[in-house]
Amino acid sequence: MCLGSGKIKREFIYCDDVTKYLEKIIDNYTDFMNPINLGSGKDHYIFEVANTIKKLTGFQGEIVWDTSKPDGQKRKLLDVTKINNLLGPLEFIPLNEGLQKTIEWFNEKYEI
């Protein structure tokens, strides 16, 4: 069961991308009193993410949305202007690939 309607958007970033760019940020960003966002600059509908996970895992059941639960903020997307100005346009692992790698890690770790 998924909470809410799935019609909200969220930004995702794969953990390897965080580690890849974190060192570059530390080495190049000196304005420590002003935060800098690390993000993909792309967001995805939660219902699309849920359906992608369903497909990648081979889940045959139905995704049930509990719309009695609130969706929360309709969209959460970081402003990545500062980091793009600092490091140039960044390349991120696509959502599908990041989800696949995460599922594979989980299956290996928990022997599924």
Side-chain angles (χ1 to χ4, degrees), residues 14-79:
Y14 187 62
C15 59
D16 287 353
D17 288 332
V18 173
T19 59
K20 176 171 66 173
Y21 292 120
L22 191 56
E23 185 175 357
K24 291 181 182 184
I25 294 169
I26 292 168
D27 289 343
N28 293 288
Y29 192 66
T30 58
D31 190 7
F32 301 115
M33 296 307 290
N34 291 302
I36 190 167
N37 294 323
L38 174 58
S40 65
K42 297 177 184 172
D43 53 3
H44 305 271
Y45 285 103
I46 294 300
F47 70 82
E48 291 173 352
V49 175
N51 282 310
T52 300
I53 293 170
K54 177 181 176 176
K55 179 181 174 185
L56 292 173
T57 60
F59 177 67
Q60 298 297 313
E62 178 184 354
I63 297 174
V64 177
W65 296 94
D66 183 354
T67 56
S68 71
K69 304 297 185 211
D71 276 333
Q73 187 174 333
K74 290 192 181 281
R75 188 175 192 207
K76 291 186 179 181
L77 182 65
L78 295 173
D79 179 355

Side-chain angles (χ1 to χ4, degrees), residues 83-90:
I83 196 160
N84 286 340
N85 289 338
L86 179 69
L87 302 176
L90 305 179

